[in-house]
Amino acid sequence: MKTTASSYLRQLEAESIHILREVVAEFTNPVMLYSIGKDSAVMLHLAMKAFHPAKPPFPLLHVDTTWKFREMITFRDETVKRLGLDLMVHVNEEGVREKISPFTHGSALYTDVMKTQALKQALDAHGFDAAFGGARRDEEGSRAKERVFSFRSEAHGWDPKNQRPELWHNYNTRVRKGESIRVFPLSNWTELDIWSYIHLEEIPIVPLYFAATRPVVERDGVLIMVDDERLPLDKGEKPEMRQVRFRTLGCYPLTGAIDSEANSLPGIIGELMATRLSERQGRVIDRDQAGSMERKKQEGYF
Amino acid sequence: MPKLTLVQPESGLDSEALEAMLAEEANKDLLRFLTCGSVDDGKSTLIGRLLYDSQLVYDDQIAALESDVKKGKGASGEVDLAMLVDGLQAEREQGITIDVAYRYFASPKRKFIVADTPGHEQYTRNMATGASNCDFAILLVDARKGVLTQTRRHCCILNLLGIKKIALAVNKMDLVNFSSDRFDEIVSDFEKFTKTLSFEEIVAIPVAAATGDNILNPSSHMRWYHGPTLMVHLETVDVASDRTLRPFRMPVQWVNRPDSDFRGFAGTISGGELRPGDEVIVLPAGKRTTINRIVTYDGELDVACAGDAVTLTLADEIDISRGDVLAAPDAEAEVSDQIAANVIWMDQNPMLPGRDYILKLGNQTATASISTLKYKLNVDNLEHQAGTTLELNEVGYCNLSISRALVFDPYARDRDMGGFILIDRLTNATVGAGMIEFGLRRATNIHWQALDIDKSVRAQMKAQKPCALWFTGLSGSGKSTVASLLEKQLHARGQHTYLLDGDNVRHGLNKDLGFTDADRVENIRRVAETAKLFVDAGLIVMVSFISPFRSERRMARDLFQENEFLEVFVDAPLEVCEQRDPKGLYKKARAGEIKNFTGIDSAYEQPERADLRLEAGKRTPDELVSELISSLEKRGFI
Ligand SMILES: Nc1nc2c(ncn2[C@@H]2O[C@H](COP(=O)(O)OP(=O)(O)OP(=O)(O)O)[C@@H](O)[C@H]2O)c(=O)[nH]1
Ligand SMILES: [Mg+2]
């Protein structure tokens, strides 16, 4: 890291590297869930550091819902090419055949089929015994409760009321066949830490995080970007061009943009420090009902 | 609740302002602390209040709290600040904390990571989880209830975990009319209790979390109190660590071998600092070598210090694997297979002396059993009580006997080198946490004689890679037949071998053992240890043992290095074995003449991840052996 003074970020970095290595040393078949966003970018960067001069000794897995922003897919493919890594892409073909979309089936069912079920299919098909995810504890109330090494049953379920004690940096990595551990190397990072680190380390990110003029429609107070022709427009609804950016990235129909002028990292960090709204405000799926994240995690969601 | 008044900076920062801001952030130090104390004393409320008054709660989160009140979830129609941290549905429904919540915030002076832990006795292990990485604790007491058993239990755990400074927050002062007498009474009670514990500093602060008195803002109701507010204390308490001043230690976490040109040892430095050219000793073997380079993604380093995650290359080609510890040669860590430690028990099933658990200390994994429970700690009066087991949430002082030489430092000197967890071999649950006091008897400070003639040299002479082939399967599945046929063929090829057969060993080495559960475990342990010695001698060892339980096979596997142990599952269906019945044992078992016979009235747990599976019901021993030979060739053993 270029700023030597940044001891706090260095501590976080070292802790994450330790976690990444622990998994590689203890599991037979780990995988890294790569979701293309800023947290994944940082996690991947840390993996490059942890195993240097070797390449990260595990594949990347992207669970593609087929509704990701196009720029995300372009960025994803460039990233694996630039770093020379293995990427597996999994799509729930059954969901595609049944034409499951967030518009016709509602965000809850869509998320379950195209994300949660898809993820479980991919994990089962390859028999992964550990899967890295880029979730952070500061994102949401139930995440704040989760262990760094989070045990999952054979059905991929999380039991929040009965988590394994986790003392010091002594992680219990034991699983039986079919069971697995979700591992969160970024547990202790905050949104501000992520951005500061991206800035200091000059980590490439998807351009959608920077403000630009983009076509959007406003629905229930959420700005949805018209990323392709699949977005059904209501009668009389017309996309308008607005200067917007994204604070988190996911499926474009479920991810709200924010009005913003910030087209540089300093701009983004400044905006973040002034905001009165949490990171998940723009996520349509988290709002469906209280405790929805916890429920989804119990069902196997990341 | 006070209205939010916020100074909003203009959106965006220019790069100069950003660099200044980042530099300022970077210079802040970090305090990791927890809140603890008995159930309902107001821990979560206090954290909620701290965040709220520091204006660290986002508007949409406040809106969610307010909507909870409308739905009647908040107590008494008021916003419930505990809901800011109690993030699980079950917690919100029951109004209690079940598991630790971590929150991250900063003041102009410091960064904080707080672990809000549960007070309920049932979840004591989650409190220990939260406390294990902290340097400071806020212990809460409800002013009405005073110091309770659970307050004392948490206090003992803080003490055991080595937290030196605590704040005693006497909460809900509003419910005792902000009485200074009541406050003094509780404080003197608490001081009596902690007199013999090893805290360095206890600061008592009267607070009311619900109303914010003495949290961020000085209370106007308690003019008699002249000490700091809680926040001022958090910002100023000194918990500086001496980690970099301690002798050098780096437990090897992972061996990095991308190609034949590079061999690096990756790990996190737990103490001291290191420069290229420094001499280190490799424990437990006791060999010395010199650091060549400190390799990182960002280039080589001139110096690395405690807390850094690095990769080292060494001057000499010596055999080092995960679990070994690199240490300063003039201040070695201890090496012992017998230790004395404080243990916190965390499982419904009690700790049983003599039973084998998996012990994990840093990167070392071994089998361990409690040889003696010296005493249990009575958390109410700190008295030592005799006992034979530890129940859930009990704390005891024990001697442990470990299957291999463990490299460690006393916990009081180094948490990473002296703290371990115990894992149940069947359920894989984390059942205990231990803090090493010291190594016992002989092994302390005598590390294993570093022999110049070692395993690799012996193996080289024999032109083979030593390993143990562990044949498991039902009685009559053909283990012994296949193993002895394999030995013959290996012998014919000029390989050096040895065969350990279950039945034969029972006549000699293990003739003192019967068939109780404890004896069966000991039987396997001795055989595995013997096999290990033979592997060390450079031999290819075949062990033929029914070994029906996964945990036992796992114990055996754990004794060996990676790639030295092959589990061979001789898989023949029970019907086939029973039909063969070479020794007439199945008949006797069916007739009830033999009890606990594997496959009949005792389970055979099939291997989940056998290295090799032989279809012994379908194929002839000759076919199976050629399959084995080609597989050994492919893996480079012969
Ligand atoms: N009157 C008064 N009530 C308080 C105060 N602090 C907390 N309470 C109330 O005490 C109850 C318990 O508060 P919590 O914060 O949930 O207690 P806790 O210590 O986190 O409980 P566990 O985590 O379950 O052990 C709630 O109803 C709070 O509103 C206080 O200073 N004054
Ligand atoms: Mg609580």
Side-chain angles (χ1 to χ4, degrees), chain B residues 43-44 86 96-97 116-117:
Chain B
K43 300 174 287 297
S44 304
D86 287 338
I96 58 160
T97 304
D116 177 45
T117 72

Side-chain angles (χ1 to χ4, degrees), chain A residues 10 14 18 21-22 26 49 51-52 144-145 147 166 168 170-172 174 188 199 276 278 294, chain B residues 6 19 57 59-60 89 91 99 104 126 132 253 256 268 298 308 322 360 411 419 428 430 554:
Chain A
R10 255 182 76 173
H18 181 87
R21 288 172 175 169
E22 189 68 9
E26 292 266 282
K49 289 196 170 197
F51 306 103
H52 176 84
K145 296 269 166 183
R147 299 284 185 261
E166 189 167 83
W168 309 290
N170 244 334
Y171 303 108
N172 180 347
R174 300 250 154 181
N188 289 324
H199 172 68
R276 290 299 315 144
S278 78
E294 180 181 344
Chain B
L6 259 184
E19 294 305 335
V57 184
D59 287 351
D60 48 327
Q89 284 304 105
E91 294 178 328
D99 213 327
Y104 306 82
N126 296 337
S132 68
Q253 191 180 12
N256 191 351
T268 304
D298 304 295
D308 291 349
R322 174 173 161 88
K360 195 171 175 205
Y411 180 84
N428 285 335
T430 307
R554 179 128 207 179

Side-chain angles (χ1 to χ4, degrees), chain B residues 51 64 100-101 168 188 254 300-301 446 453 475 522 549 588:
Chain B
L51 296 171
V100 207
L168 178 73
S188 96
W254 181 67
E300 289 182 21
L301 301 181
I446 323 167
I453 308 296
S475 173
E522 177 60 12
F549 300 117
K588 284 191 188 158

